[in-house]
Amino acid sequence: MATIKDVARLAGVGLGTASRVVSGKGSVSPATLARVRAAIEALDFRPSHAARTLLSGSSQMIGVYIPVLSGTFYTPILQIIDNELRAAGLHMVVAFGAGLGGARQQAIEGIAFLIERGCDGLILMTNVLQEEDIAALRFQHKRMVVLNHSFDSLAGQCFTVDHMLGGRMAARTLLDHGHREIAVVAGPASLPDNVVRVNAFLDELRANGVDTASLWVTERDFSPAGGWSAAKELMDSKHPCSALFCANDEMAVGALSYFQEAGIRVPHELSVIGYDDTPSAEFSAPRLTTVHMPWREMTQNGINALLNSCYDLQRPVTRGYPVTMTLRASLASHAEAAKPARRRKPA
């Protein structure tokens, strides 16, 4: 395989001159440029990624950290990032939480892996890091953006969505459909965005005269299995309710699966709504009513800001993205509900 030294030798120029032609940086005379390009073509020279990085000072790689590589939430976001980077001639390197230690240590190690790989910039989706972790990261790598979380020391580089509005909108939708006896499946209390949406949901109910202390509320892990077990626990409790709010779509889909097996007709006996509007919501049975969070807009603008920083581009960057409700078949008005939810024993 030909090397840059071979190109320089064949063209009769110094190594630095050949490097300037390959990298496109620095000036050379037209005649020299023609000789070096002819040598490149004659030798079929293709610089390796390592060589291109050395020549240009850029790896053309963007590192992405996510907590888990599973489920229907992170996958669409990774697809958006990958599509955008490929269109810009860049590559995505992904790290996720794995190995020993807690979530915070896993995040620190995963991000260190991306930095060690020479990524030009970082996209971080994590809310377990502390401000001191961010300060240490900025000392090692200043070009980064954070998605779906805000750090005070990195405010201008954080892109998130309005979870308070999302939680209130979910509650408002159920109230507008006549539901006041509502069960809630929250996500982990350790995740700030979950806490914000659930608290906003309960605050909106309380503001409309609902005694939230009497509601059935449980916490799960944002997984379909968590939604299934919560739905079973709700039915076993015999707590009166006409609607169920799940703090993400994956738990809502798990709950729908349990209700279907238990013979509980959604939405005729019990309405169910989710949060996120991930692809699974559109194809659940019945199709899931959910809060549409603008993940695409958030991700797109975070990418634009990072590429502007890394490569001196002028991509548009905006903040403040619309939150809406996607109404589908899993929601009915309380007046339309035939009877309280009752269960048959799953097979």
mmCIF file of all heavy atoms in Angstrom, residues 77 122 143 162 178 234 260 336:
data_model
loop_
_atom_site.group_PDB
_atom_site.id
_atom_site.type_symbol
_atom_site.label_atom_id
_atom_site.label_comp_id
_atom_site.label_asym_id
_atom_site.label_seq_id
_atom_site.Cartn_x
_atom_site.Cartn_y
_atom_site.Cartn_z
ATOM 1 N N ILE A 77 -33.042 8.331 18.094
ATOM 2 C CA ILE A 77 -32.137 9.466 18.261
ATOM 3 C C ILE A 77 -30.777 9.154 17.641
ATOM 4 O O ILE A 77 -30.178 9.995 16.964
ATOM 5 C CB ILE A 77 -32.015 9.832 19.753
ATOM 6 C CG1 ILE A 77 -33.345 10.428 20.237
ATOM 7 C CG2 ILE A 77 -30.864 10.810 19.993
ATOM 8 C CD1 ILE A 77 -33.390 10.767 21.701
ATOM 9 N N LEU A 122 -18.342 15.764 21.111
ATOM 10 C CA LEU A 122 -19.104 14.773 21.881
ATOM 11 C C LEU A 122 -20.564 15.192 21.998
ATOM 12 O O LEU A 122 -20.872 16.361 22.225
ATOM 13 C CB LEU A 122 -18.523 14.620 23.291
ATOM 14 C CG LEU A 122 -17.043 14.249 23.412
ATOM 15 C CD1 LEU A 122 -16.633 14.243 24.877
ATOM 16 C CD2 LEU A 122 -16.770 12.891 22.775
ATOM 17 N N ARG A 143 -15.397 20.701 23.231
ATOM 18 C CA ARG A 143 -16.430 20.682 22.202
ATOM 19 C C ARG A 143 -17.418 19.554 22.479
ATOM 20 O O ARG A 143 -17.191 18.406 22.111
ATOM 21 C CB ARG A 143 -15.784 20.526 20.828
ATOM 22 C CG ARG A 143 -14.980 21.760 20.427
ATOM 23 C CD ARG A 143 -14.168 21.525 19.185
ATOM 24 N NE ARG A 143 -13.464 22.733 18.779
ATOM 25 C CZ ARG A 143 -12.521 22.783 17.856
ATOM 26 N NH1 ARG A 143 -12.171 21.662 17.234
ATOM 27 N NH2 ARG A 143 -11.916 23.911 17.563
ATOM 28 N N ASP A 162 -39.290 20.622 26.991
ATOM 29 C CA ASP A 162 -40.045 21.144 28.123
ATOM 30 C C ASP A 162 -40.854 20.020 28.776
ATOM 31 O O ASP A 162 -42.021 19.791 28.434
ATOM 32 C CB ASP A 162 -40.966 22.272 27.645
ATOM 33 C CG ASP A 162 -41.568 23.053 28.802
ATOM 34 O OD1 ASP A 162 -41.559 22.549 29.944
ATOM 35 O OD2 ASP A 162 -42.078 24.164 28.552
ATOM 36 N N GLY A 178 -62.611 13.836 30.853
ATOM 37 C CA GLY A 178 -63.473 13.506 31.985
ATOM 38 C C GLY A 178 -62.867 12.579 33.016
ATOM 39 O O GLY A 178 -63.567 12.138 33.937
ATOM 40 N N LEU A 234 -51.590 -2.853 39.623
ATOM 41 C CA LEU A 234 -52.760 -1.980 39.673
ATOM 42 C C LEU A 234 -54.040 -2.792 39.703
ATOM 43 O O LEU A 234 -54.945 -2.521 40.497
ATOM 44 C CB LEU A 234 -52.756 -1.049 38.453
ATOM 45 C CG LEU A 234 -54.012 -0.188 38.235
ATOM 46 C CD1 LEU A 234 -54.239 0.745 39.413
ATOM 47 C CD2 LEU A 234 -53.906 0.600 36.927
ATOM 48 N N GLN A 260 -54.333 -6.489 27.613
ATOM 49 C CA GLN A 260 -54.879 -7.330 26.542
ATOM 50 C C GLN A 260 -54.961 -8.779 27.000
ATOM 51 O O GLN A 260 -55.968 -9.466 26.791
ATOM 52 C CB GLN A 260 -53.998 -7.201 25.293
ATOM 53 C CG GLN A 260 -54.588 -7.806 24.021
ATOM 54 C CD GLN A 260 -54.369 -9.308 23.928
ATOM 55 O OE1 GLN A 260 -53.369 -9.826 24.428
ATOM 56 N NE2 GLN A 260 -55.298 -10.008 23.306
ATOM 57 N N GLU A 336 -67.656 7.549 27.885
ATOM 58 C CA GLU A 336 -67.778 6.450 26.934
ATOM 59 C C GLU A 336 -67.382 5.109 27.539
ATOM 60 O O GLU A 336 -67.656 4.066 26.958
ATOM 61 C CB GLU A 336 -66.909 6.717 25.708
ATOM 62 C CG GLU A 336 -67.366 7.918 24.892
ATOM 63 C CD GLU A 336 -66.389 8.248 23.788
ATOM 64 O OE1 GLU A 336 -65.423 7.493 23.606
ATOM 65 O OE2 GLU A 336 -66.595 9.269 23.109
#
